[in-house]
């Protein structure tokens, strides 16, 4: 089902989105008579069976039989729900999709739109500084030294922030941007004593951080001088458009490769990712300015079922590998670990050995718990009782977090073998470990109070509200229709009202005008039962 957008609106967007131009922006097309052909992006093939017909504005693959219009292609290629594919093309064509908004929601939407505009324009400003200005000399020399090609600079839109205190401030004034809003964007900082502004990013190589649509929403700036007193990296603060725990650097460019390869390589830094990507290893992402979070892993789970951790070979990198376990286990992702030989990181390894060698290294990546057992044995003296006990306790705690009894028993045996103890003794130690680590530890008093005074059971929604909940949670393609026709004030059940509100928020459709529960139904509008039944 194509969703519940106005057919006239869909026709406008379709007419403004020439299918050869849109698909040609994703994959290389070659003319073949009146049509265009390519290797199909949806299945592996050696000869092209993917056809694009510009007259009919459709595509079709004679190999896997996928086909449709421009909306279908973007939906399949980008792994998006249909409404998101429509919005993506509407935004590209600069065709507004109107929704009902309160004044507060309109203001919030305006701020987000302006922040996106500011980020795009400052990205272009810093790109130009890197490419043509004297202020970009140090950054150009650094990139040359690190072996970053001009093509990589262009693909990742790298830039240079001049080494002055007011370049961005003056730039913003010249563009007519409100400096308070530029401060909210995280680009400038206000001195409380004087009220004057100064630049956050100065004398740094700039890495734009993009959302999944490829729009700049934040920045990471690397220092180019050797001053040890200055932070090596400065990152954008969190803003209305940027939450670092939910953004992965490079995902906008790698998501197709993630779907194709079925697993994601997770590395630490931007230069590591760029080196991998340019060496042909494109199923790679990097957490942005933070440890791997539950949000990161949930995002990855949309694309892959397995991750390969490939952090730096130093002690900090290996500790980061171990810290990633909890988030990855909670997401249900399979985990392997690729160990880059010291003293390399992925960037330097690829520079020294090439992309093919790196692919082989990733291919040899071992399972997380095999890696973890090896690390524990290397960092503890297993010739002593203290060292053996430390290994047993750590392995038991880590494996029990999975809740998988077969895996726990397997690694109890492997640990026993490595330590030279009897398997039954290792199993006994493993059974002593807690079954899992709670996400948030509660005090004994809070836990006791919750157990002794359970909340009374809430009444169930009525039959109509219950069926509406089923529609909302099981049929993504009905969300747009509900937005257009449903007033949540018609919901009498508080729980149903909250669940539907959260569902629409999660779908990115929280701009609906929410009326207080119990408000009168507008005259002439259909009742809830009419909409559902």
């Amino acid at each position: 089902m194509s969703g519940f957008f106005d057919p006239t609106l869909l026709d406008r967007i379709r007419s403004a989105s020439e299918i050869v131009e849109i698909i040609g922006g994703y994959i290389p097309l070659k003319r073949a008579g009146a049509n265009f052909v390519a290797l199909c992006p949806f299945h592996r093939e050696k000869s092209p069976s993917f056809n694009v017909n510009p007259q009919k504005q459709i595509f079709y693959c004679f190999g896997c039989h996928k086909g449709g219009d421009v909306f279908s292609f973007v939906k399949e290629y980008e792994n998006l729900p249909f409404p998101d594919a429509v919005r993506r093309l509407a935004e590209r064509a600069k065709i507004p999709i109107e929704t009902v908004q309160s004044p507060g929601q309109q203001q919030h939407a305006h701020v987000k739109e302006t922040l996106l505009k500011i980020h795009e324009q400052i990205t272009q400003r810093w790109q130009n500084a890197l490419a043509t200005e004297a202020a970009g000399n140090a950054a150009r020399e650094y990139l040359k030294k690190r072996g970053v090609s001009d093509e990589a600079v262009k693909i990742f839109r790298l830039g240079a922030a001049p080494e002055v205190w007011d370049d961005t401030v003056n730039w913003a004034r010249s563009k007519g941007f409100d400096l308070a809003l530029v401060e909210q964007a995280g680009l400038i900082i206000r001195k409380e004593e004087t009220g004057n502004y100064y630049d956050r990013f100065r004398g740094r190589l700039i890495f734009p951080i993009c959302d999944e649509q490829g729009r700049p929403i934040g920045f990471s700036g690397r220092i180019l001088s050797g001053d040890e007193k200055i932070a090596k990296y400065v990152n954008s603060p969190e803003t209305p458009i940027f939450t670092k725990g939910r953004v992965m650097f490079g995902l906008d460019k790698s998501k197709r490769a993630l779907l194709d390869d079925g697993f994601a390589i997770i590395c630490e830094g931007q230069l590591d990712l760029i080196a991998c990507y340019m060496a042909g290893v494109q199923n790679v992402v990097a957490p942005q300015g933070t440890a791997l979070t539950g949000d990161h892993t949930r995002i990855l789970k949309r694309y892959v079922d397995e991750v390969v951790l490939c952090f730096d070979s130093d002690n900090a990198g290996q500790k980061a590998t171990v810290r990633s376990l909890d988030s990855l286990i909670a997401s249900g992702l399979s985990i392997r670990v690729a160990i880059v030989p010291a003293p390399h990181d992925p960037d330097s390894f690829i520079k020294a050995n090439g992309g093919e060698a790196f692919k082989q290294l990733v291919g040899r990546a071992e399972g997380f718990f095999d890696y973890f057992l090896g690390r524990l044995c290397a960092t503890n003296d297993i010739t002593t009782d203290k060292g053996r006990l430390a290994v047993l306790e750590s392995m038991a705690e880590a494996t029990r977090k999975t809740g998988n009894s077969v895996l726990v028993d397997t690694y109890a045996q492997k640990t026993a073998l490595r330590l030279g103890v009897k398997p039954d003794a290792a199993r006994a130690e493993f059974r002593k470990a807690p079954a899992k680590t709670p996400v948030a530890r509660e005090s004994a008093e809070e836990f006791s109070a919750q157990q002794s005074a359970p909340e009374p059971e809430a009444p169930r929604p009525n039959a109509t509200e219950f069926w509406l909940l089923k529609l909302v949670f099981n049929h993504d393609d009905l969300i747009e229709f509900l937005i257009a026709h449903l007033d949540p004030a018609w919901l009498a059940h508080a729980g149903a009202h909250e669940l539907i509100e959260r569902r629409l928020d999660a779908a990115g459709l929280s701009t609906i005008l929410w009326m207080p529960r119990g408000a009168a139904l507008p005259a002439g509008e259909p009742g809830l039962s009419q909409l559902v039944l």
Side-chain angles (χ1 to χ4, degrees):
M1 188 177 291
S2 63
F4 290 93
F5 291 100
D6 185 331
T8 303
L9 174 64
L10 292 179
D11 286 341
R12 281 186 63 203
I13 298 170
R14 190 183 290 109
S15 298
S17 305
E18 208 286 323
I19 195 166
V20 173
E21 181 182 350
I22 297 297
I23 295 180
Y26 291 97
I27 60 175
L29 295 175
K30 294 180 66 175
R31 180 174 286 280
N35 294 341
F36 291 81
V37 298
L39 293 174
C40 181
F42 304 120
H43 79 285
R44 298 187 182 278
E45 61 180 5
K46 294 183 179 178
S47 57
S49 56
F50 181 86
N51 279 253
V52 181
N53 186 318
Q55 285 76 38
K56 296 181 180 179
Q57 290 290 296
I58 60 172
F59 73 93
Y60 184 74
C61 176
F62 291 93
C64 67
H65 307 296
K66 283 188 183 293
D69 62 6
V70 67
F71 296 120
S72 303
F73 180 85
V74 173
K75 175 179 179 293
E76 291 290 336
Y77 193 92
E78 296 273 10
N79 193 32
L80 296 171
F82 178 81
D84 288 353
V86 172
R87 291 189 187 88
R88 184 74 54 86
L89 288 166
E91 182 178 294
R92 183 183 182 279
K94 295 182 170 55
I95 295 174
I97 297 179
E98 296 181 359
T99 56
V100 179
Q101 295 180 323
S102 69
Q105 291 166 339
Q106 290 175 359
Q107 174 62 22
H108 182 67
H110 174 72
V111 168
K112 291 183 70 173
E113 182 181 341
T114 306
L115 291 179
L116 287 169
K117 182 178 179 181
I118 290 171
H119 278 75
E120 172 59 34
Q121 292 192 19
I122 195 64
T123 297
Q124 295 175 17
R125 157 79 190 114
W126 285 333
Q127 281 183 285
N128 185 65
L130 176 63
T132 64
E133 296 181 14
N137 285 340
R140 287 193 292 271
E141 286 299 317
Y142 177 81
L143 291 170
K144 183 178 179 181
K145 179 182 176 183
R146 294 296 299 263
V148 180
S149 68
D150 291 342
E151 183 184 7
V153 169
K154 182 178 179 181
I155 290 173
F156 288 90
R157 304 189 68 184
L158 306 188
E163 180 68 272
V164 291
W165 289 88
D166 58 358
D167 184 81
T168 302
V169 173
N170 292 333
W171 168 85
R173 286 195 178 108
S174 72
K175 295 291 183 179
F177 291 123
D178 179 1
L179 292 186
L181 200 54
V182 181
E183 179 188 16
Q184 191 174 0
L187 299 177
I188 60 176
I189 301 170
R190 183 176 181 271
K191 279 188 176 181
E192 293 204 6
E193 318 86 69
T194 64
N196 295 327
Y197 291 97
Y198 63 94
D199 295 1
R200 180 183 297 274
F201 299 96
R202 307 179 307 278
R204 292 178 180 269
L205 173 65
I206 299 295
F207 298 88
I209 304 161
C210 298
D211 62 12
E212 290 183 55
Q213 297 181 41
R215 301 177 299 186
I217 57 173
F219 301 97
S220 181
R222 192 194 192 285
I223 194 67
L224 297 169
S225 67
D227 191 340
E228 295 182 358
K229 297 180 182 179
I230 300 177
K232 187 175 180 180
Y233 281 92
V234 167
N235 299 312
S236 290
E238 298 203 348
T239 72
I241 62 172
F242 175 58
T243 303
K244 65 181 180 180
R246 297 178 183 173
V247 178
M248 301 206 80
F249 182 75
L251 180 59
D252 59 305
K253 298 171 181 63
S254 65
K255 55 189 177 182
R256 185 68 235 171
L258 298 181
L259 291 168
D260 290 342
D261 294 324
F263 71 97
I265 302 166
I266 303 177
C267 58
E268 282 188 80
Q270 292 101 342
L271 288 172
D272 289 333
L273 183 142
I274 291 171
C276 292
Y277 191 91
M278 300 308 295
V281 185
Q282 297 187 345
N283 55 324
V284 59
V285 293
Q288 181 52 53
T290 183
L292 201 64
T293 68
D295 284 326
H296 287 145
T297 56
R298 282 188 288 274
I299 291 168
L300 286 175
K301 185 65 176 174
R302 301 204 316 254
Y303 297 95
V304 298
D305 294 317
E306 181 183 49
V307 299
V308 177
L309 300 173
C310 189
F311 292 167
D312 292 355
S313 59
D314 60 17
N315 192 49
Q318 296 311 297
K319 285 183 177 180
T321 298
V322 174
R323 286 197 304 270
S324 301
L325 175 65
D326 287 0
S327 296
L328 291 167
I329 283 179
S331 70
L333 288 162
S334 300
I335 318 164
R336 292 189 290 141
V337 180
I339 302 175
V340 181
H344 287 299
D345 55 26
D347 177 34
S348 63
F349 181 87
I350 289 172
K351 296 292 192 300
N353 301 281
E356 192 57 40
F358 184 75
K359 287 181 183 179
Q360 293 174 12
L361 182 147
V362 170
R364 296 192 299 269
E366 59 185 347
F368 178 87
F369 292 107
D370 290 308
Y371 156 82
F372 189 45
L373 177 58
R375 175 167 170 78
L376 287 171
C377 290
T379 54
N380 291 277
D381 185 356
I382 60 174
T383 64
T384 66
D385 291 341
K386 179 181 178 182
R388 286 192 291 270
L389 186 59
V391 172
L392 279 167
E393 290 177 347
S394 295
M395 281 298 296
E397 182 181 357
T399 54
R400 294 274 288 177
K401 289 176 181 178
T402 67
N404 186 316
S405 57
V406 173
L407 185 145
V408 171
D409 187 69
T410 297
Y411 281 95
Q413 294 183 63
K414 287 188 175 186
T415 304
L417 184 63
R418 288 289 293 269
L419 299 180
V421 301
K422 292 182 178 179
D424 287 345
R427 290 190 184 99
E429 289 300 317
F430 272 47
R431 282 194 291 271
K432 294 178 184 178
K436 62 180 181 177
T437 302
V439 175
R441 297 183 182 275
E442 299 169 324
S443 69
E445 294 79 7
E446 289 171 329
F447 182 77
S448 175
Q450 290 172 4
Q451 295 303 303
S452 60
E455 292 185 4
E457 183 177 349
R460 286 171 57 88
N462 63 39
T464 303
E465 290 170 329
F466 180 73
W467 279 106
L468 177 61
L469 286 167
K470 290 183 69 174
L471 285 173
V472 168
F473 283 94
N474 292 320
H475 297 279
D476 289 346
D477 52 349
L478 293 178
I479 295 295
E480 288 292 329
F481 178 79
L482 292 171
I483 287 287
H485 295 86
L486 171 67
D487 188 328
W490 308 338
L491 295 167
H493 191 276
H497 184 279
E498 182 178 359
L499 283 170
I500 290 176
E501 180 175 5
R502 290 188 178 187
R503 175 65 184 90
L504 299 181
D505 282 341
L509 298 171
S510 57
T511 56
I512 185 170
L513 178 61
W514 290 84
M515 295 171 58
R517 283 186 297 112
L521 182 67
E525 291 291 338
L528 179 60
S529 60
Q530 291 174 271
L531 288 175
V532 178
L533 304 176

